Amino acid sequence: MMQGQRRAMEPARLFLGLLAVSAALAASSLHQRPPQPELLLEEEEPELGESPSGSLWPLPRSLRILPDQLQLAPTRFQLVHGPGSTAGPGCALLQDAFRRYYEYIFGYSKWQNRGQRPLPTGTELFQLQVIIGSKDSECDNYPTISSNEAYQLSVTEPVAVLRAEKVWGALRGLETFSQLVYEDDYGSFVINESEITDYPRFAHRGILLDTSRHFLPLKSILTNLDAMAFNKFNVLHWHIVDDHSFPYQSVTFPDLSGKGSYSYDHIYTPTDVRLVIDYARLRGIRVIPEFDSPGHTQSWGKGQKDLLTPCFNGEHRSGSYGPVNPILNTTYHFMTDLFKEISSVFPDAYIHLGGDEVDFTCWKSNPDVTEFMKQQGFGIDYAKLESYYIQKILDIVSSTNKGYIVWQEVFDTGVKIKPDTIVEVWIGTSYTTELSRVTRAGFTTILAAPWYLDYISYGQDWKKYYSVEPLNFPGCEKQKKLVIGGEACLWGEFVDATNLTPRLWPRASAVGERLWSSKNVTNIGDAYNRLVKHRCRMLRRGIAAEPLFVGYCDHEYRGL
Amino acid sequence: MAELALVLLLVGLVPTGAVWPQPQLVRESPGRCRLSPGRFRFGYARSSAVGPGCAVLDQAFRRYWRLLRDAGPRAPEDTRPWEPLCAELLVSVATPHCDGFPNMDSVESYKLSTSEDLSLLSSESVWGALRGLETFSQLVWRDEDGMFYLNKTDIVDFPRFAHRGLLLDTSRHYLPLRAILETLDVMAYNKFNVFHWHIVDDPSFPYESAAFPELSRKGAYNPATHVYTLNDVKLVIEYARLRGIRVISEFDTPGHTLSWGPGHWTLCSVACDFILLLSLACRRSNPEIQAFMQQMGFGQDYAKLESFYIQRLLDIISSYGKGYVVWQEVFDNGVKVKPDTIIHVWRENAGPYQQEVARVTKAGYRALLSAPWYLNRISYGQDWQTAYQVEPLEFEGSLEQKELVIGGEACMWGEYVDVTNLTPRLWPRAGAIAERLWSNKTVTDLQDAYIRLADFRCTLLRRGIQAQPLFTGYCDAEYSGF
């Protein structure tokens, strides 16, 4: 009796069932702070209500919804290029988007069977005209860190107009427009007259997926890109390789995946990678690959002889290997060729170079490394050796004309990095202090620390992610400007294709709104009302987004 | 060291006899036979008391014949150029009952012996045969060339506990029928035998009652789509029966009855006066309740009111000839319950659950354990291990008391669970509980369990079940059921 209420009042269990099988097994593979036990947030049953902003997610910067309703007839309504637009039918990106959003708006209904009765004059919306203003619509480009995503949307009878300088803004505006349309009780498609001006708060709004700890089939990645577009995310941070497996198929070094992947079937071929990049581009999403070194590289060693440092047990080799071997010229030849390939395969101007969690134990055990340290005058400061390695890698990558992102340790250990390096802050404890330090040193930064979504817990943890204010750290205005955005990270220790989507969505949506909407959009109750509807919309669009709390959607998930 | 788990997960190192849950006695002998999944046949032994026409087994033969092709990869220690062919598995059941429902006293023991000459599965009842077929299906394996094999093996097996349940909650979120049916499939793979259907609760009333249609018409999330019709319920019961699973439906009252509210009058008009009470009981200020309390001499002791209500309810249910299971508060509040009542221990914060089990059994009641097995409570990491390490009989009490513990249930309450995340959240975590309830008390080696469970989850994936990973690694066939 009374299960529900009493259950909800119990304190959370504080145990962590981790590591009991092999104590060491997880230790070196956690790219993460240790999970912090927290007391369960006590759940009041939230009152589900109507938000004045309907189901819009993330909330636009400025929004005026009028009471006047217009109807859309699926058989007549069109998405078209408006007069004066610099993009036309030759812009495949927009053509694809028009078709996609037509389907999102009408596709899941059985409207085809309905009559085509004319609607009373003055109550029908016939078109959405999309007008790209800039001379260069950027239709055939890849999105970049400085892409203009702003748009203006004006819904009035008889046509709605969506204005954007570039196609990227048009994509965001189409998503917003599709979220304004709803079905009334009679099955009619209805939109309120509205005026919207919108642009993102942060330029870098990312999702990190880890395809090394578990392989993610292509379909999983593409589905996730769809969901990202629904939430106005614009960066896929593809943590493509790590200790556990090397699924990236390199043309230059085919043995890396040939020997380092889980199996022949657990590989991303060049065609697969191409497909992900193109699919993302059409949704205004950048793909930033991460090739993390010198740590997190066990799987690299299987297909590349002498790349990793042999560890020693006293006088003899122990048979195991440590981080990349920083003292050999062959290492840098290899890295030069590999990054040359990577920089041409991935069009984005940035590559993520990792650089986190380097374990010095193996380097310390190796007599050749010790000798090298002596020669270089590093003493016993292995951070200097790490620094030496990272420097060389940064030079290699710079020579391919790419910028780079690194995890915060690279900054913390005092590696000399170029002023244009982007530092990603991930360590959970005192990340605000870290943001202060990184920006005071003048570096651009991305925040991931409070948004490790792989750390699951019981209850509505989306509120925790939602309540983060990225600029809430000690620093001057100039420092705050250096925070270019954030990333929701879903590391793969416990995630594969079976649970990826419900674990990520709609929890990542909370981060999506934080990074897009105004700083003052912080009302949890209003957010709950909109997010519940947004998650039902994602279900209808084929995303298996999990529930926020008790309740239902008109159209439950059908994918099972 | 980080590589340890990976290495262990490689297909070659999963022992060929790996079965989940671990049978009571397994003896592998040298020798094996090839098996052609297309030509292999299941049949009835001449000695069997049941034969063709026994729906439970006829259907099971077909199911397990299909699953043969999903046999898992293994790397044999040696290779031989030629192996004899195993052509059939004969099943012999001692008692002739086939059309009944499984119950608390069903005998699920079986003996399985496979060899090139004869593979025989013998059991007391059809329910035991079902368990044996599942075990058999897990013994078949494939080598790298795709050939199917069966090792010479002898197994004697029986469950440690009679009641091995799984609770699903279809009130807080509606679960489509196919999600329930799929869960029943996976329950059978795990040798669970009770489906505890928490069918209605505060948030919604999806059960379409023939006697009281208003209940779902007004209490369901959507009375057209978010309901279980009478046919649905029949289908679930039959589907479960064919897998040797009992269905216990729970109509939790009186605290959780908000969803009954809008339609309660019909119930009252037919059933009795106390139903009205229950729909009002949540409001203590209600004058009718106050008056009733006075009249009965309960004073302000609402526990007495609850006891009164439960007493009446139990009387009614017994008059239909049904037994009942009640949550522990009924016992805690001192409601007089029949000696054959089963007390379901679930609370964690009212002192250690072990003490409650001790109290319940000391009072002579049978106990069911769920307190440590609330799978809806998720946390980071390998929490299946915590569930696995529970020892249900670890409480202070006599041998007689221990015998009163009839089993346990894994619970998946629905606050945060619907069809989008049910399956990966449930499996393979519930598998840990399945083994605890089926296998011998001595089966507690976490390392061994990890290897078998990780392998079993790959088996589930091959069978189309969206079971989530235990830790890093991979399966030869990843989930692709988008």
Side-chain angles (χ1 to χ4, degrees):
Chain A
M1 349 288 291
M2 305 286 285
Q3 249 70 19
Q5 293 163 29
R6 291 187 198 163
R7 265 204 325 281
M9 278 184 268
E10 286 173 57
R13 297 178 183 173
L14 299 182
F15 55 77
L16 297 166
L18 189 65
L19 303 183
V21 157
S22 313
L25 154 163
S28 73
S29 64
L30 282 179
H31 179 287
Q32 289 153 352
R33 64 184 192 267
Q36 295 155 353
E38 305 178 22
L39 284 179
L40 177 67
L41 302 169
E42 289 193 10
E43 296 295 347
E44 289 291 312
E45 296 231 357
E47 282 294 319
L48 182 60
E50 286 289 327
S51 162
S53 318
S55 64
L56 288 175
W57 193 277
L59 198 65
R61 307 288 287 199
S62 115
L63 165 70
R64 202 159 59 97
I65 300 181
L66 302 171
D68 308 270
Q69 293 177 333
L70 302 173
Q71 279 197 42
L72 294 78
T75 46
R76 288 191 292 270
F77 182 81
Q78 289 180 316
L79 296 142
V80 296
H81 300 279
S85 176
T86 55
C91 177
L93 180 142
L94 283 183
Q95 292 299 118
D96 265 32
F98 289 173
R99 187 183 56 193
R100 212 162 58 235
Y101 278 98
Y102 180 89
E103 279 178 16
Y104 291 145
I105 295 168
F106 303 114
Y108 34 70
S109 280
K110 296 197 173 85
W111 54 267
Q112 287 88 346
N113 301 332
R114 289 183 208 153
Q116 301 191 13
R117 67 195 157 86
L119 297 164
T121 328
T123 63
E124 181 169 352
L125 187 72
F126 290 94
Q127 282 186 341
L128 173 67
Q129 299 185 346
V130 178
I131 302 171
I132 306 298
S134 166
K135 221 177 255 175
D136 179 9
S137 68
E138 297 187 4
C139 185
D140 298 316
N141 296 14
Y142 289 95
T144 70
I145 182 67
S146 49
S147 289
N148 183 349
E149 297 174 286
Y151 66 92
Q152 267 185 309
L153 177 62
S154 163
V155 182
T156 49
E157 192 272 327
V159 292
V161 179
L162 169 61
R163 289 176 197 278
E165 281 298 296
K166 310 284 185 185
V167 290
W168 317 117
L171 289 173
R172 304 295 167 244
L174 283 166
E175 176 58 38
T176 302
F177 179 81
S178 74
Q179 296 189 3
L180 286 170
V181 180
Y182 58 97
E183 269 184 87
D184 69 10
D185 286 349
Y186 302 96
S188 302
F189 295 97
V190 180
I191 190 168
N192 285 58
E193 294 203 327
S194 327
E195 292 290 336
I196 290 175
T197 306
D198 201 10
Y199 53 93
R201 182 175 173 209
F202 293 103
H204 185 113
R205 306 181 306 281
I207 296 280
L208 178 147
L209 293 185
D210 170 0
T211 58
S212 172
R213 290 179 176 84
H214 284 100
F215 180 81
L216 296 173
L218 212 53
K219 266 191 199 166
S220 275
I221 298 176
L222 301 185
T223 303
N224 181 64
L225 286 167
D226 284 337
M228 285 173 68
F230 303 154
N231 290 275
K232 295 190 170 70
F233 276 99
N234 66 357
V235 176
L236 171 65
H237 175 166
W238 192 353
H239 188 86
I240 192 166
V241 298
D242 204 302
D243 283 335
H244 307 80
S245 74
F246 198 104
Y248 171 79
Q249 190 175 53
S250 159
V251 177
T252 323
F253 301 102
D255 277 353
L256 287 173
S257 63
K259 295 180 176 160
S261 72
Y262 279 136
S263 89
Y264 188 70
D265 198 27
H266 293 75
I267 281 176
Y268 302 108
T269 66
T271 313
D272 294 340
V273 172
R274 191 77 243 154
L275 178 61
V276 169
I277 294 167
D278 287 341
Y279 197 92
R281 183 186 87 85
L282 292 174
R283 285 152 185 80
I285 297 170
R286 302 159 58 203
V287 177
I288 299 180
E290 179 181 347
F291 285 83
D292 192 354
S293 73
H296 289 278
T297 47
Q298 289 295 309
S299 71
W300 303 41
K302 293 178 184 163
Q304 185 64 23
K305 203 168 164 288
D306 295 335
L307 178 65
L308 303 184
T309 313
C311 311
F312 278 70
N313 209 341
E315 304 278 293
H316 306 284
R317 286 191 176 202
S318 71
S320 64
Y321 291 87
V324 167
N325 194 337
I327 67 168
L328 301 178
N329 284 334
T330 50
T331 294
Y332 301 104
H333 294 153
F334 164 80
M335 290 293 181
T336 305
D337 292 345
L338 180 66
F339 279 108
K340 207 165 133 197
E341 173 185 324
I342 292 166
S343 65
S344 73
V345 167
F346 292 90
D348 200 83
Y350 287 87
I351 297 175
H352 203 302
L353 297 175
D356 58 315
E357 296 181 316
V358 183
D359 182 0
F360 295 149
T361 325
C362 185
W363 279 351
K364 285 178 184 168
S365 78
N366 184 306
D368 298 335
V369 174
T370 312
E371 180 57 33
F372 183 81
M373 295 276 290
K374 227 181 273 169
Q375 280 171 20
Q376 297 287 326
F378 292 162
I380 50 160
D381 186 357
Y382 284 83
K384 284 194 175 138
L385 181 59
E386 180 186 356
S387 190
Y388 170 87
Y389 170 82
I390 300 268
Q391 284 280 328
K392 292 204 142 208
I393 294 298
L394 297 186
D395 288 342
I396 287 169
V397 174
S398 300
S399 73
T400 65
N401 284 324
K402 294 283 187 186
Y404 37 77
I405 308 175
V406 293
W407 295 109
Q408 70 178 71
E409 287 99 315
V410 176
F411 168 80
D412 296 346
T413 51
V415 175
K416 253 200 244 150
I417 42 179
K418 295 207 164 72
D420 60 344
T421 306
I422 299 176
V423 178
E424 184 162 8
V425 172
W426 71 270
I427 296 177
T429 47
S430 63
Y431 68 83
T432 49
T433 318
E434 180 74 4
L435 284 175
S436 278
R437 288 185 9 213
V438 171
T439 54
R440 197 175 320 125
F443 291 105
T444 308
T445 186
I446 296 168
L447 180 62
W451 292 316
Y452 268 35
L453 301 193
D454 52 320
Y455 285 136
I456 52 170
S457 56
Y458 185 71
Q460 298 200 43
D461 56 2
W462 70 273
K463 294 177 180 172
K464 187 172 69 185
Y465 307 128
Y466 191 76
S467 306
V468 171
E469 168 45 53
L471 300 190
N472 200 3
F473 64 88
C476 63
E477 272 309 296
K478 210 173 136 205
Q479 278 176 265
K480 308 272 163 129
K481 287 222 171 79
L482 289 170
V483 179
I484 56 165
E487 290 186 350
C489 301
L490 195 68
W491 294 99
E493 278 84 354
F494 302 100
V495 177
D496 73 359
T498 63
N499 55 2
L500 172 91
T501 305
R503 192 159 290 196
L504 190 53
W505 308 104
R507 293 162 77 229
S509 304
V511 184
E513 175 150 303
R514 182 55 51 239
L515 294 173
W516 177 279
S517 304
S518 298
K519 184 174 181 173
N520 60 10
V521 177
T522 52
N523 182 327
I524 288 267
D526 184 70
Y528 180 77
N529 291 336
R530 286 182 292 115
L531 191 50
V532 164
K533 293 198 174 96
H534 182 52
R535 113 94 184 168
C536 289
R537 177 168 48 232
M538 286 198 273
L539 286 192
R540 291 174 76 157
R541 294 180 182 184
I543 308 295
E546 71 180 15
L548 291 176
F549 196 56
V550 176
Y552 72 107
C553 295
D554 287 329
H555 302 264
E556 300 289 0
Y557 183 61
R558 297 242 172 241
L560 180 71
Chain B
M1 285 301 275
E3 292 300 286
L4 179 60
L6 294 177
V7 172
L8 291 173
L9 274 180
L10 293 182
V11 286
L13 294 176
V14 181
T16 45
V19 175
W20 191 276
Q22 174 73 40
Q24 300 284 345
L25 193 77
V26 181
R27 204 181 61 213
E28 255 192 278
S29 321
R32 62 171 177 240
C33 55
R34 278 184 304 127
L35 183 148
S36 156
R39 280 180 287 166
F40 191 83
R41 290 293 176 265
F42 293 93
Y44 296 91
R46 221 176 285 168
S47 59
S48 178
V50 302
C54 171
V56 171
L57 288 184
D58 286 351
Q59 295 280 348
F61 289 170
R62 201 171 58 177
R63 277 201 313 278
Y64 283 104
W65 185 79
R66 286 188 193 134
L67 290 180
L68 285 178
R69 286 178 191 281
D70 294 328
R74 303 275 190 271
E77 286 149 24
D78 57 296
T79 51
R80 273 166 267 176
W82 187 85
E83 313 273 352
L85 194 71
C86 281
E88 62 180 359
L89 173 71
L90 292 180
V91 177
S92 176
V93 177
T95 50
H97 304 295
C98 208
D99 299 324
F101 286 87
N103 60 45
M104 182 83 90
D105 304 317
S106 294
V107 180
E108 297 176 279
S109 59
Y110 66 91
K111 280 185 204 171
L112 176 63
S113 148
T114 61
S115 76
E116 59 207 60
D117 305 321
L118 174 70
S119 290
L120 182 69
L121 167 63
S122 52
S123 68
E124 182 64 29
S125 73
V126 289
W127 316 121
L130 288 176
R131 305 296 168 242
L133 284 168
E134 176 56 42
T135 300
F136 176 80
S137 75
Q138 294 187 28
L139 289 178
V140 180
W141 54 275
R142 306 176 78 161
D143 70 5
E144 283 181 328
D145 302 325
M147 297 287 279
F148 292 75
Y149 293 95
L150 185 59
N151 290 15
K152 187 168 161 52
T153 310
D154 289 287
I155 290 180
V156 178
D157 202 10
F158 52 88
R160 183 174 170 211
F161 293 102
H163 186 117
R164 304 179 307 282
L166 177 72
L167 177 147
L168 289 187
D169 170 2
T170 58
S171 172
R172 290 180 177 82
H173 285 100
Y174 176 81
L175 295 172
L177 200 61
R178 61 187 187 286
I180 294 175
L181 301 183
E182 188 196 81
T183 302
L184 289 168
D185 283 334
V186 195
M187 284 175 68
Y189 303 155
N190 284 275
K191 297 191 170 73
F192 275 109
N193 67 353
V194 176
F195 171 45
H196 180 157
W197 192 353
H198 189 86
I199 191 166
V200 300
D201 204 312
D202 286 344
S204 78
F205 197 105
Y207 173 65
E208 267 192 8
S209 159
F212 310 110
E214 286 297 291
L215 285 173
S216 62
R217 205 170 293 154
K218 294 184 177 167
Y221 282 135
N222 178 333
T225 56
H226 290 60
V227 288
Y228 304 106
T229 66
L230 210 54
N231 274 334
D232 291 343
V233 174
K234 277 186 194 155
L235 177 63
V236 166
I237 292 171
E238 179 62 7
Y239 197 92
R241 183 185 84 88
L242 290 173
R243 286 155 184 78
I245 298 170
R246 300 154 57 202
V247 179
I248 296 181
S249 57
E250 180 191 347
F251 291 86
D252 190 6
T253 68
H256 286 193
T257 46
L258 291 177
S259 68
W260 295 39
H264 75 254
W265 62 271
T266 43
L267 245 171
C268 282
S269 67
V270 183
C272 51
D273 54 343
F274 74 83
I275 296 292
L276 179 61
L277 265 175
L278 75 87
S279 67
L280 300 172
C282 50
R283 280 168 279 163
R284 297 193 165 182
S285 58
N286 186 291
E288 287 178 57
I289 295 275
Q290 296 284 356
F292 183 81
M293 298 271 293
Q294 292 269 304
Q295 189 190 327
M296 300 302 289
F298 291 165
Q300 289 299 310
D301 188 351
Y302 284 88
K304 281 188 183 154
L305 178 64
E306 186 181 347
S307 300
F308 172 80
Y309 164 73
I310 294 288
Q311 201 75 64
R312 297 292 299 268
L313 191 62
L314 295 186
D315 291 347
I316 288 174
I317 292 171
S318 336
S319 71
Y320 288 120
K322 302 261 185 196
Y324 41 79
V325 180
V326 296
W327 295 103
Q328 72 178 70
E329 290 91 322
V330 175
F331 169 78
D332 296 346
N333 290 346
V335 176
K336 270 185 236 117
V337 291
K338 294 218 161 88
D340 62 344
T341 306
I342 296 164
I343 313 288
H344 199 157
V345 175
W346 70 274
R347 296 185 70 172
E348 277 188 296
N349 58 342
Y353 63 84
Q354 290 92 341
Q355 290 178 11
E356 178 75 3
V357 176
R359 278 194 298 271
V360 166
T361 51
K362 190 152 199 185
Y365 295 111
R366 284 175 293 171
L368 255 185
L369 187 61
S370 274
W373 289 326
Y374 269 35
L375 293 181
N376 50 306
R377 291 208 172 273
I378 52 170
S379 58
Y380 184 73
Q382 299 203 36
D383 58 359
W384 68 272
Q385 298 175 358
T386 318
Y388 189 76
Q389 286 169 301
V390 170
E391 169 44 55
L393 299 191
E394 202 174 65
F395 63 89
E396 279 186 40
S398 63
L399 270 189
E400 289 78 31
Q401 273 177 270
K402 309 264 162 144
E403 268 165 23
L404 288 170
V405 178
I406 57 166
E409 288 189 0
C411 298
M412 185 56 80
W413 295 98
E415 280 87 349
Y416 303 101
V417 177
D418 73 359
V419 66
T420 61
N421 56 2
L422 172 75
T423 308
R425 194 161 288 195
L426 199 48
W427 310 109
R429 291 165 75 226
I433 299 160
E435 175 149 304
R436 183 54 52 236
L437 292 172
W438 176 280
S439 303
N440 198 283
K441 186 176 178 173
T442 57
V443 178
T444 52
D445 181 341
L446 271 183
Q447 179 79 49
D448 177 68
Y450 177 81
I451 294 167
R452 285 183 297 112
L453 189 54
D455 178 62
F456 181 57
R457 105 99 187 173
C458 291
T459 300
L460 294 181
L461 282 190
R462 282 192 303 272
R463 294 179 178 186
I465 306 302
Q466 198 176 343
Q468 73 180 11
L470 293 179
F471 195 55
T472 53
Y474 73 105
C475 294
D476 58 315
E478 299 289 357
Y479 181 68
S480 58
F482 300 98

